């Protein structure tokens, strides 16, 4: 099922009764045609539902309250066809709890030079009606996206589509449970944070789940299900034919990986969780049901299915990956949880190898992943370990992380360019190699000054615009490191933001 089909975005047209009932009827007809046109464009991932004209304070309040209470509604688009005195929006805007997009457009594309008269002027007043509406939003400090452009134009529709994807991910996050199997990796600061504040600010809920409970699910996995999943692995992934030899230790590791995947999926489904974290020092008791290796292959495959994942207890990355995955639905190039692994200094081509011990999502693979089993000497159970090995596609992308600064969350976004790596015959893991924008020195420098993690959530298809919309909806700080970034300006932004968030307590 297309995840977006469960949602809709409401379209509310501002007008007033000053010009008489006939004018409002025409406004209504125009709005209906515009919404039909938007839906027929094929460029919007979420259906637009036209909710009529709002001509008074009471009508605005009624439609916004209805939007708040409708589970399908993930955001509201407003547009002022005529002048719509903005005091009538105050009470409604005070109550609106759904993301807001203000569309500054006009029903007609061009001025009808030959025929335009005063009646036409009175009816088509977006030019000043939208400014009046914008004023009240700014005066009330209403967070919103403003999209400016003709409603039939591709660029206008693309901006709306981005916002819709973010709204869908936002709605998804308001009903998101992340399960932590084991705690944070001891002593690690950057992946920790305030889970209470995270739920207030970003919506998702984080629970601890004892590994012993996961092991109850593990103990119930059947051989028939395991056999079927192992056959799926052999069908879906390149592998050495010897891996199918049932007498080998390597086959047993593949088999046990399938059991781990089935156990994890079963408990996530049973608890309605959309993401999880693991800790490589907590894999169950050796004398009971337990994982005999880090469940890396399971994490890789569950990520591709849309489960958020964060390694070493990193619940913020688990939630953010799920959000990235939802935003990216139907887009072609894929997304993954990644970790800054090793640096490659090479002048202007300096780059960072992105990998993890094992847990990289196969959605970013350039070619069919290869199923391999190798020794892994990290964690409580050093063992031969199954994993998918691949390198990522090349090309531009965008990576993001959220850190807790003590008084607020900060979203850090970096545009990156994935480049072709050299073969890594002695490091059989999935990986990507990227140059951070604008270059390694400034990109990595800015990321470190901002306090960014070594973990991040990467996508080829998302751009900073998605993250701007996300940060605006959540009301969190966002820093974007891009082609035009200089360290001098970035340091100033960091210092200015400290003051802004100190003064603006509502956002902290
Ligand atoms: Mn890690």
């Amino acid at each position: 099922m297309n995840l977006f089909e469960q949602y809709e975005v409401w379209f509310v047209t501002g007008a007033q009764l000053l010009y008489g009932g006939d004018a409002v009827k025409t406004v209504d007809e125009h709005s209906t045609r515009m919404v039909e046109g938007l839906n027929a464009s094929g460029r919007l991932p979420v259906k637009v539902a036209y909710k009529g004209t709002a001509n008074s304070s009471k009508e605005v309040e009624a439609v916004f309250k209805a939007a708040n209470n409708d589970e399908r509604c993930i955001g509201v688009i407003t547009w002022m066809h005529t002048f719509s005195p903005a005091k009538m929006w105050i009470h409604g805007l005070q109550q609106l709890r759904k993301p807001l997009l203000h569309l500054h457009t006009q029903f007609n594309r061009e001025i009808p030079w030959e025929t335009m008269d005063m009646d036409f002027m009175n009816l088509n007043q977006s030019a000043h009606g939208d400014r009046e509406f914008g004023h009240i939003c700014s005066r009330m400090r209403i967070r919103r996206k403003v999209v400016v452009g003709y409603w039939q134009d591709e660029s206008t529709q693309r901006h709306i589509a981005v916002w819709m994807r973010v709204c869908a991910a936002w709605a998804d996050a308001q009903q998101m449970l992340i399960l932590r199997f084991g705690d944070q990796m001891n002593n690690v600061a950057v992946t920790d944070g305030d889970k209470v504040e995270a739920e207030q600010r970003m919506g998702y809920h984080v629970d601890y789940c004892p590994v012993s409970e996961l092991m109850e699910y593990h103990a119930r996995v059947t051989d028939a299900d395991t056999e079927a999943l192992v056959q799926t692995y052999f069908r879906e992934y390149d592998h050495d034919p010897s891996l199918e030899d049932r007498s080998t230790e390597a086959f047993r590791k593949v088999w046990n990986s399938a059991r781990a995947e089935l156990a994890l999926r079963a408990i996530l489904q049973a608890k309605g969780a959309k993401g999880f974290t693991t800790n490589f020092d907590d894999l169950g008791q050796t004398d009971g049901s337990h994982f005999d290796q880090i469940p890396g292959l399971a994490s890789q495959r569950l990520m591709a299915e849309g489960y958020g994942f964060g390694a070493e207890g990193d619940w913020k990355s688990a939630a953010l990956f799920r959000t990235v995955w939802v935003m990216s639905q139907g887009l072609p190039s894929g997304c993954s949880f990644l970790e800054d692994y090793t640096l490659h200094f090479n002048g202007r081509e300096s780059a960072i190898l992105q990998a993890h011990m094992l847990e990289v999502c196969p959605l970013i693979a350039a070619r069919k992943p290869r199923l391999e089993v190798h020794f892994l000497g990290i964690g409580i159970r050093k063992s031969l370990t199954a994993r998918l090995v691949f390198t990522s596609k090349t090309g531009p992308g965008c990576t993001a992380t959220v850190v807790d600064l003590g008084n607020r969350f900060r979203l850090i976004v970096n545009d990156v360019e994935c480049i072709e790596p050299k073969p890594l015959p002695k490091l059989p893991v999935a990986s990507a190699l990227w140059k951070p924008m604008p270059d390694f020195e400034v990109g990595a420098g800015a990321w470190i000054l901002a306090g960014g993690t070594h973990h991040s959530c990467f996508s080829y298809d998302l751009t900073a615009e998605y993250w701007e919309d996300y940060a605006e909806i959540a009301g969190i700080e966002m820093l974007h490191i891009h082609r035009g970034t200089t360290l001098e300006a970035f340091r100033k932004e960091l210092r200015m933001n400290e003051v802004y968030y100190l003064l603006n307590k509502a956002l902290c």
Side-chain angles (χ1 to χ4, degrees):
M1 186 193 99
N2 178 341
L3 203 130
F4 297 133
E5 280 173 13
Q6 62 186 307
Y7 299 129
E8 60 189 29
V9 160
W10 287 14
F11 190 103
V12 178
T13 303
Q16 61 169 330
L17 296 172
L18 181 71
Y19 313 110
D22 282 352
V24 171
K25 246 175 87 180
T26 310
V27 167
D28 202 51
E29 281 164 23
H30 288 173
S31 303
T32 304
R33 279 168 60 189
M34 285 168 65
V35 169
E36 283 169 4
L38 289 171
N39 282 326
S41 71
R43 296 197 186 99
L44 302 187
V46 177
K47 184 189 162 207
V48 185
Y50 177 50
K51 292 292 164 179
T53 59
N55 301 295
S56 66
S57 182
K58 285 220 171 333
E59 288 178 17
V60 170
E61 206 177 330
V63 72
F64 281 0
K65 276 181 175 171
N68 287 344
N69 291 326
D70 192 307
E71 291 236 326
R72 289 180 61 82
C73 174
I74 57 170
V76 176
I77 298 174
T78 53
W79 166 61
M80 307 301 124
H81 191 314
T82 69
F83 195 73
S84 178
K87 287 182 190 173
M88 77 180 220
W89 292 85
I90 292 173
H91 292 290
L93 285 170
Q94 279 173 333
Q95 295 178 66
L96 182 65
R97 303 279 305 157
K98 297 285 167 87
L100 176 65
L101 183 150
H102 176 201
L103 177 60
H104 180 45
T105 191
Q106 182 169 272
F107 176 67
N108 53 302
R109 185 190 291 270
E110 290 167 359
I111 293 175
W113 301 100
E114 298 295 321
T115 59
M116 187 161 72
D117 57 12
M118 203 47 90
D119 285 346
F120 184 94
M121 287 285 287
N122 282 335
L123 189 64
N124 297 284
Q125 296 190 334
S126 305
H128 54 288
D130 277 328
R131 281 171 171 71
E132 169 76 355
F133 181 77
H135 170 76
I136 202 64
C137 289
S138 290
R139 169 146 181 176
M140 292 174 70
R141 277 70 174 174
I142 300 289
R143 298 197 304 268
R144 79 279 194 194
K145 180 172 191 169
V146 177
V147 172
V148 178
Y150 190 57
W151 58 279
Q152 289 181 341
D153 285 352
E154 181 174 346
S155 72
T156 308
Q157 293 172 354
R158 295 245 177 257
H159 288 305
I160 297 172
V162 166
W163 175 80
M164 284 177 158
R165 288 175 173 278
V166 178
C167 288
W170 182 253
D172 180 79
Q174 305 316 299
Q175 293 174 13
M176 186 196 294
L177 168 65
I178 302 293
L179 289 185
R180 301 162 62 229
F181 300 115
D183 204 343
Q184 305 285 129
M185 189 173 174
N186 286 341
N187 284 313
V188 177
V190 76
T191 57
D192 217 335
D194 183 340
K195 296 192 281 293
V196 178
E197 187 64 20
E199 184 157 353
Q200 288 184 66
R201 186 59 65 189
M202 291 172 285
Y204 57 80
H205 179 79
V206 184
D207 266 346
Y208 169 61
C209 183
V211 174
S212 57
E213 192 177 350
L214 168 59
M215 290 308 148
E216 290 171 19
Y217 287 78
H218 188 245
R220 289 198 291 269
V221 172
T222 67
D223 284 353
D225 287 346
T226 309
E227 176 68 32
L229 187 53
V230 167
Q231 292 311 319
T232 301
Y233 294 170
F234 288 144
R235 217 171 33 247
E236 282 187 17
Y237 307 120
D238 286 342
H239 58 281
D240 194 293
S242 67
L243 206 54
E244 296 190 41
D245 179 349
R246 288 168 181 264
S247 67
T248 62
E249 179 71 356
F251 177 85
R252 199 170 66 82
K253 290 294 173 181
V254 172
W255 177 273
N256 287 339
S257 287
R259 286 196 66 199
E261 179 182 329
L262 290 164
L264 279 163
R265 187 181 292 103
I267 194 168
L268 293 168
Q269 281 176 354
K271 294 190 177 279
K274 293 176 178 173
F276 67 105
T277 68
T278 55
N279 182 317
F280 54 66
D281 279 330
D282 199 351
L283 301 173
Q285 296 295 321
T286 332
D287 55 356
S289 195
H290 67 272
F291 291 164
D292 67 337
Q293 59 198 302
I294 292 171
L297 175 58
S299 301
Q300 290 184 292
R301 285 174 45 84
L302 288 165
M303 260 191 273
E305 250 171 66
Y307 286 103
F309 173 76
E312 296 110 39
D314 184 356
W315 48 270
K316 293 198 299 302
S317 288
L320 199 66
F321 177 76
R322 165 72 186 191
T323 289
V324 168
W325 184 86
V326 173
M327 288 183 196
S328 311
Q329 281 310 288
L331 300 179
S333 301
C335 51
S336 182
F337 165 85
L338 283 167
E339 175 174 280
D340 296 301
Y341 216 55
T342 305
L343 306 180
H344 180 63
F345 287 102
N346 182 24
R348 298 291 302 168
E349 293 302 299
S350 292
I352 312 170
L353 183 72
Q354 301 290 320
H356 203 261
M357 283 176 304
L358 306 173
E359 301 95 336
V360 177
C361 177
L363 291 175
I364 64 168
R367 284 167 289 280
K368 190 190 262 197
R370 190 172 167 84
L371 178 63
E372 298 184 22
V373 176
H374 301 279
F375 183 77
L376 182 64
I378 298 175
I380 190 101
R381 223 150 271 144
K382 298 164 183 47
S383 159
L384 282 173
T385 306
R387 80 282 304 271
L388 295 176
V389 180
F390 55 85
T391 53
S392 79
K393 304 172 186 84
T394 56
C398 186
T399 203
T401 190
V402 171
V403 294
D404 185 343
L405 290 183
N407 68 338
R408 66 186 187 274
F409 289 107
R410 167 180 282 168
L411 173 69
I412 308 161
V413 176
N414 194 181
D415 298 340
V416 301
E417 173 87 24
C418 289
I419 57 176
E420 193 72 38
K422 288 186 180 159
L424 288 162
K426 301 284 191 189
L427 185 74
V429 299
S431 66
L433 181 68
W434 76 41
K435 296 192 292 185
M437 296 293 116
D439 57 35
F440 176 79
E441 184 185 343
V442 176
W447 186 275
I448 288 169
L449 282 169
T453 37
H454 55 289
H455 287 169
S456 68
C457 296
F458 166 78
S459 163
Y460 290 101
D461 301 303
L462 304 185
T463 60
E465 184 181 355
Y466 289 80
W467 292 116
E468 280 163 18
D469 291 356
Y470 176 87
E472 183 74 5
I473 292 169
I476 62 172
E477 180 186 9
M478 173 183 158
L479 294 166
H480 179 204
I481 306 163
H482 53 85
R483 273 181 198 283
T485 295
T486 65
L487 283 177
E488 186 188 14
F490 194 76
R491 297 179 102 107
K492 267 185 203 153
E493 190 178 356
L494 290 173
R495 284 197 292 265
M496 301 281 270
N497 284 6
E498 283 302 321
V499 179
Y500 172 82
Y501 283 96
L502 198 67
L503 297 178
N504 198 341
K505 290 254 188 287
L507 292 178
C508 285

